[in-house]
Amino acid sequence: MAGLGVWKRLGRRSHWLPALLLLVAGAIDCTTPPSVSASALYAAAVLVAAPLLSLCGTVLVGVCALVLDWAMFWYFGHRGSAMFSELAMVATVAGVAVFLNRLLYHREVKLQSVSGIATAVQRAVLPGPPARIGPLRFAARYEAAQTDAQIGGDLYAVLDTPYGVRCLIGDVCGKGMDAVRAVTVALGTFREAALREPALTGLSDRLEQALVREAAQSGSPLPAEWFVTALLAEFPPRGNEVRLVNRGHPAPLLFLGDTVRYVEPCRPALPLGLGALSVDTARVDPVAFPQGAGLLLYTDGLTEARNASGAFYDPVGRFTGRRHSGPDALLDALLADVCQHTGGRRTDDMALLAVTRAPDDAYPPSARRWRPESR
């Protein structure tokens, strides 16, 4: 982690490199015999300026390199074809550097445009959850494995329905556009079926059918390319519990006071898209979720994060004994702790969805009523 910080500090100061090269070139010319020339360093300074500085900065470095090189010839009294040849070389490199600077600038503008479009698409596909529904508070984070990536195979959603608040988190097997397509199918089906299916197992079946149907229509040679590990959570309008259906997904974490534990399913089930391989059906696991409790839904990018020695991240061991004021504080602390564990390296996408139940006295009586008109 210390090495990574050093490289970041060097990156922030890299714009001084062209000036440093010019100073070194001038020092070499002043302290060495006239037969020794630092022309390569003058040219290098101009080329280095192209990706690091603006157009004006690149032109300024080019002019400084020409003036400094000419001054060295004048100082030592050298004239003739050697001087003009070297100055022409530096001037040519300066022209090439200006061209490269403009080329890199236009590519950066195009990259920023594409990144902006990707960000807009991500917000449309994975909008942030509502901050509060009744006594429940929500927060979500999406951390892509690649710094410039915006869309991956992890997904989450929160929806207020006539049957309570329903949440989905999932992880698509595979990468690329097929993974993005599976994400959109899963999210679209969830948002439509969660409002219509009374049973959580029925919602799970609808997601299964949609993915199998889409895989068949896509002509995918292997159904396994379309399977999705998923966890469905339902918070009923009445009572202090959460109902879970786990389809091959990492077990969520339950926070009660300063204790943390995994909520494993009573009976394992295959991921969405692979249900035809098993005769067992998904099962609902009710779990007590009292006031002050928190539930963390996540993808395997969290528990598979490794440190420099290869040890996996252990959220239970690292968060037992710690308390947090709400879901946002929990996720901020978690991401900071994961970054410390891995030294800032990420090898897989990571989606996080935190839910906490606030005490009744945190809301006025009107806010405690949970959609009674929809029941």
Side-chain angles (χ1 to χ4, degrees):
M1 189 171 181
L4 183 63
V6 170
W7 282 110
K8 288 182 177 179
R9 288 193 294 272
L10 289 176
R12 288 194 294 267
R13 300 173 182 174
S14 60
H15 59 280
W16 291 105
L17 184 57
L20 178 62
L21 289 174
L22 289 178
L23 290 176
V24 172
I28 291 176
D29 273 342
C30 290
T31 58
T32 56
S35 59
V36 178
S37 173
S39 59
L41 288 179
Y42 293 122
V46 181
L47 283 177
V48 169
L52 297 180
L53 304 180
S54 64
L55 174 62
C56 292
T58 304
V59 172
L60 179 61
V61 171
V63 172
C64 289
L66 282 170
V67 171
L68 190 58
D69 197 16
W70 174 82
M72 292 297 105
F73 277 105
W74 180 85
Y75 176 79
F76 286 104
H78 288 279
R79 303 290 189 274
S81 59
M83 179 186 74
F84 292 108
S85 176
E86 185 170 317
L87 291 177
M89 183 271 293
V90 175
T92 301
V93 173
V96 172
V98 170
F99 171 76
L100 291 175
N101 179 274
R102 291 295 84 194
L103 182 63
L104 292 172
Y105 170 77
H106 289 297
R107 288 193 175 184
E108 182 179 357
V109 170
K110 183 182 292 186
L111 178 61
Q112 290 177 350
S113 176
V114 172
S115 179
I117 294 173
T119 301
V121 171
Q122 184 198 31
R123 290 174 179 172
V125 175
L126 290 177
R132 187 182 74 189
I133 302 177
L136 300 178
R137 298 167 63 191
F138 300 89
R141 302 287 189 276
Y142 187 94
E143 296 289 322
Q146 298 179 352
T147 304
D148 296 328
Q150 298 290 337
I151 304 175
D154 292 3
L155 59 115
Y156 59 81
V158 176
L159 196 62
D160 193 5
T161 77
Y163 314 104
V165 176
R166 287 176 166 175
C167 305
L168 166 69
I169 193 162
D171 188 357
V172 178
C173 175
K175 303 292 183 181
M177 292 307 299
D178 279 344
V180 175
R181 185 175 173 185
V183 166
T184 57
V185 170
L187 288 174
T189 303
F190 173 79
R191 289 166 182 157
E192 185 274 333
L195 298 169
R196 300 176 180 271
E197 286 291 339
L200 202 58
T201 51
L203 176 57
S204 173
D205 292 339
R206 288 283 296 273
L207 289 167
E208 171 84 24
Q209 295 164 9
L211 287 168
V212 170
R213 181 172 58 251
E214 192 67 24
Q217 293 177 354
S218 70
S220 176
L222 294 175
E225 294 181 358
W226 275 82
F227 80 77
V228 180
T229 67
L231 180 72
L232 292 166
E234 178 183 88
F235 301 87
R238 298 177 182 86
N240 291 337
E241 72 172 11
V242 57
R243 300 166 184 165
L244 303 173
V245 170
N246 195 323
R247 297 295 301 268
H249 198 75
L253 291 169
L254 182 65
F255 293 76
L256 290 173
D258 57 0
T259 64
V260 186
R261 69 176 180 88
Y262 290 106
V263 183
E264 298 287 352
C266 294
R267 184 172 61 194
L270 290 176
L272 297 171
L274 300 180
L277 301 179
S278 174
V279 295
D280 294 331
T281 58
R283 178 176 176 178
V284 176
D285 295 310
V287 179
F289 195 66
Q291 297 175 14
L295 189 70
L296 177 66
L297 315 181
Y298 58 91
T299 55
D300 59 9
L302 174 66
T303 50
E304 293 183 1
R306 297 172 182 257
N307 61 12
S309 61
F312 289 109
Y313 182 74
D314 176 23
V316 171
R318 298 178 74 99
F319 274 78
T320 296
R322 300 169 61 176
R323 293 175 178 266
H324 302 90
S325 58
D328 280 299
L330 170 61
L331 294 188
D332 289 342
L334 183 66
L335 289 175
D337 197 51
V338 172
C339 184
Q340 180 182 10
H341 177 76
T342 63
R345 297 178 298 273
R346 291 195 299 266
T347 58
D348 194 7
D349 296 347
M350 180 169 57
L352 306 170
L353 177 62
V355 189
T356 60
R357 182 186 291 275
D360 284 342
D361 56 8
Y363 300 99
S366 59
R368 298 175 200 166
R369 293 195 298 269
W370 200 338
R371 297 177 57 107
E373 69 279 1
S374 63
R375 293 297 294 163

